[in-house]
Amino acid sequence: MSRIFRKSLFWFRRDLRIADNAALYQALRQSEQVYCVFVFDRDILDGLREEGITDDRRVEFILESVVELDAALREHEGGLIVRHAAAWKDIPALAAALEVDAVFANRDYEPQAIARDALAAKALQAAGRGFQLYKDQVVFEKDEILTQAGQPFSVFTPYKNAWMRKIVGDGGEFYLQAYPVERYLERLAPPPAQLAGGMPSLEILGFGKSNLSDLGIATGMSGAQALLDDFVERMGRYDTARDYPAVKGPSYLSVHLRFGTVSIRALARLAFDRMRGAPDMHDGAHGKGAAVWLSELIWRDFYSMILQHHPRVAGHAFKPAYDAIVWESGTRAEQLFGAWCDGRTGYPLIDAAMRQLNLTGYMHNRLRMVTASFLIKDLGIDWRWGERYFADQLNDFDLASNNGGWQWAASSGCDAQPYFRIFNPVAQSEKFDGAGKFIRRYLPQLAKLPDRRIHAPWTAGAEELSQAGVSLGGNYPQPVVQHDLARLRTLERYAVVKKAEAGIHSDVNPRSPAAPSDD
């Protein structure tokens, strides 16, 4: 395609990288000059402060990543125009000031982002400027993977199979190819002096410094690459290591996928090649571990597709019948929710997981499922309360994946676990943290309990507790509920949707086999 625009503006959002950036590639390829901008959107940041969040690790992660991105662009005679404004108004104003012909950006699928882009597009169009959006966050978007009847999937395994068929089919490798941005980097334009503005500080953005650096969380493109390099050596063990929170099993790249400091195509291509045993790969670095990791990346596409086709899931159950469930309410519900948020439930694995989240902004995937199940099916709390708490706390918060995970746990989502499948928090603890390493890290007051007691301290005798320095109801709480009784209450609570579940499909989530017994 020949160049058709004299000047364009590229708007960085959830794609804070240069390499393999779909819309940046298109902007450079189609334009003689391309300016680049990042907007610290007041419509988002002001909302965080209104919720009382003043030291958000995500804001700091973004700022550090933007600083690195600006430096990388300057190496190619470009640079970032950085703004702090309402993006839907500021982008058209900046486009006018720069006298560009078009604005390029990568597509965002969250309802708030779609509304923002619609407002920006309307203003740009009124001024005679184009607004071009491209796919970059996912491998496949809205209508690219459909059933044979032309409908969106609602069950993961058939979706995954269709996803894989598209990749291995004729021309399928195109979907995982990198966009060769480097071919056109000489078309980057430096920020005009009168619009450069400089990089804002956290204080200017209205936030204080978080513990991001203390935690050693890697930021930016370089941070993503360092994590990926480390994970490549462990990928072959991912299928077995990923379920154990005390083990270095995950890739820890989720926050980088969230803010686009790494390309989803690059990760999926790496996993696919390792799974297939590409000839240039070392023995043992591919196989089942890579296949399971690729499956997790496909789950990300799946949940994004669900949000794109069914935006109502942002506030309602995917299965409408589940909105009829009556959840706990009032003072008691608030107290139980507070205990869950603070890690004071009396169930060590739940409490350790919540303290990990509160301290670091990260929670192991297995523990996300277990803590969500506990809130919903042991405490009887509306899944939306937990979803909102995770949204505030998680560094890698992504609406589609967070909502999908919570609705999976609540049994109200697509391909969710059956309502009668209820995680036993003690059994999960014994199975996935048998030696109590994870629990001891985040609950040091339980450190001296023997392994056989640390998962359920209330089963220890008075002398055993005393020797370990544990005081139930003192330095560690008594359980806020009895799991067996809570399970029975949950089955009663879900009776309202029992008929809806009577015809449940047989192709259930492979990670969640239907079974009437506790896990």
Side-chain angles (χ1 to χ4, degrees):
M1 179 185 293
S2 61
R3 285 174 278 178
I4 58 176
F5 298 117
R6 186 174 61 89
K7 292 194 294 184
S8 296
L9 175 64
F10 178 70
W11 179 10
F12 281 99
R13 292 114 69 95
R14 291 180 55 171
D15 50 2
L16 301 179
R17 69 184 187 282
I18 295 176
D20 193 14
N21 187 316
L24 179 59
Y25 168 76
Q26 296 293 351
L28 292 167
R29 188 169 69 112
Q30 298 178 46
S31 311
E32 295 177 11
Q33 273 192 313
V34 177
Y35 297 101
C36 295
V37 62
F38 180 82
V39 182
F40 285 96
D41 197 337
R42 286 187 179 275
D43 288 341
I44 298 173
L45 300 186
D46 290 352
L48 291 175
R49 288 197 303 274
E50 288 171 5
E51 293 178 14
I53 300 173
T54 58
D55 58 349
D56 196 303
R57 281 178 290 266
R58 295 166 294 192
V59 177
E60 195 168 344
F61 182 98
I62 293 170
L63 179 57
E64 291 190 8
S65 299
V66 166
V67 168
E68 181 180 339
L69 178 61
D70 177 49
L73 291 169
R74 289 180 185 277
E75 290 178 4
H76 298 281
E77 308 304 323
L80 268 181
I81 301 168
V82 181
R83 314 279 277 197
H84 182 209
W88 69 271
K89 290 190 292 187
D90 194 59
I91 289 296
L94 180 61
L98 292 168
E99 298 181 334
V100 300
D101 302 309
V103 174
F104 287 74
N106 286 309
R107 199 169 287 119
D108 197 332
Y109 307 103
E110 296 186 2
Q112 183 180 1
I114 292 171
R116 173 203 63 201
D117 287 353
L119 290 171
K122 183 178 180 180
L124 289 165
Q125 184 178 16
R129 295 185 173 86
F131 188 36
Q132 302 203 29
L133 296 173
Y134 294 88
K135 177 185 67 173
D136 188 74
Q137 282 185 30
V138 293
V139 176
F140 294 115
E141 61 183 3
K142 190 171 183 178
D143 293 324
E144 291 186 299
I145 303 289
L146 296 171
T147 67
Q148 291 184 346
Q151 298 298 314
F153 284 92
S154 60
V155 179
F156 176 71
T157 299
Y159 174 86
K160 175 185 173 181
N161 293 339
W163 194 102
M164 291 296 296
R165 282 195 299 271
K166 198 151 188 169
I167 291 295
V168 301
D170 291 340
E173 66 276 4
F174 162 79
Y175 295 106
L176 299 184
Q177 285 180 351
Y179 287 90
V181 178
E182 60 279 359
R183 291 181 187 175
Y184 305 104
L185 288 174
E186 74 276 3
R187 298 179 186 172
L188 288 170
Q194 69 274 22
L195 295 172
M199 195 68 61
S201 64
L202 281 171
E203 290 71 26
I204 288 174
L205 296 173
F207 291 84
K209 190 169 178 60
S210 72
N211 63 346
L212 186 79
S213 58
D214 294 338
L215 294 169
I217 294 176
T219 63
M221 297 174 287
S222 61
Q225 188 60 53
L227 286 173
L228 182 57
D229 290 344
D230 177 73
F231 179 62
V232 162
E233 302 302 319
R234 300 183 283 108
M235 190 188 301
R237 303 186 296 276
Y238 179 78
D239 57 312
T240 54
R242 68 182 184 130
D243 274 325
Y244 299 89
V247 173
K248 190 179 181 181
S251 71
Y252 305 106
L253 282 164
S254 57
V255 66
H256 290 276
L257 275 171
R258 170 64 177 86
F259 296 113
T261 48
V262 69
S263 161
I264 179 61
R265 288 176 295 278
L267 300 188
R269 183 172 61 251
L270 175 62
F272 184 74
D273 288 346
R274 299 249 165 176
M275 179 187 75
R276 295 284 293 266
D280 60 336
M281 300 299 174
H282 298 295
D283 289 341
H286 55 269
K288 191 173 181 181
V292 172
W293 191 51
L294 179 60
S295 184
E296 292 301 306
L297 297 177
I298 299 172
W299 270 102
R300 183 175 175 274
D301 264 20
F302 178 67
Y303 281 142
S304 179
M305 178 273 298
I306 292 297
L307 180 64
Q308 293 168 52
H309 278 284
H310 308 283
R312 61 179 175 81
V313 300
H316 300 280
F318 177 81
K319 301 174 185 176
Y322 281 69
D323 279 332
I325 294 174
V326 178
W327 304 102
E328 295 295 325
S329 61
T331 302
R332 178 58 176 162
E334 294 282 355
Q335 291 173 341
L336 290 173
F337 181 64
W340 178 84
C341 292
D342 296 340
R344 296 181 289 102
T345 69
Y347 286 86
L349 186 65
I350 304 299
D351 294 341
M354 295 305 296
R355 294 190 182 195
Q356 178 189 41
L357 174 64
N358 294 335
L359 176 65
T360 70
Y362 171 81
M363 186 187 287
H364 187 277
N365 186 60
R366 164 63 56 177
L367 301 184
R368 296 187 196 203
M369 293 189 287
V370 176
T371 56
S373 177
F374 186 84
L375 181 73
I376 298 163
K377 295 180 177 178
D378 279 75
L379 303 185
I381 302 296
D382 190 333
W383 59 269
R384 281 160 282 235
W385 291 23
E387 181 196 30
R388 181 68 256 168
Y389 190 76
F390 272 29
D392 287 341
Q393 298 295 325
L394 284 170
N395 299 332
D396 63 10
F397 167 66
D398 173 90
L399 176 58
S401 295
N402 192 49
N403 179 272
W406 275 94
Q407 293 224 41
W408 180 87
S411 304
S412 62
C414 51
D415 202 8
Q417 63 173 345
Y419 72 90
F420 49 76
R421 185 173 189 235
I422 302 170
F423 282 125
N424 182 319
V426 175
Q428 289 286 306
S429 185
E430 292 171 340
K431 183 174 183 180
F432 296 109
D433 190 34
K437 286 186 177 180
F438 179 79
I439 292 173
R440 288 185 172 91
R441 178 175 180 181
Y442 289 98
L443 299 174
Q445 66 269 46
L446 303 183
K448 294 182 180 179
L449 280 174
D451 293 354
R452 70 181 187 281
R453 300 297 187 195
I454 199 167
H455 310 286
W458 61 90
T459 63
E463 184 176 350
E464 204 168 22
L465 290 170
S466 177
Q467 290 177 349
V470 177
S471 171
L472 294 182
N475 64 355
Y476 190 70
Q478 294 276 5
V480 293
V481 292
Q482 293 183 41
H483 174 70
D484 291 344
L485 296 179
R487 184 179 187 279
L488 294 176
R489 287 195 295 271
T490 291
L491 295 177
E492 293 173 359
R493 190 186 313 280
Y494 275 75
V496 68
V497 295
K498 188 174 182 179
K499 290 182 180 179
E501 289 292 288
I504 191 169
H505 50 73
S506 58
D507 185 13
V508 297
N509 182 333
R511 294 188 298 178
S512 310
S517 60
D518 270 0
D519 289 289

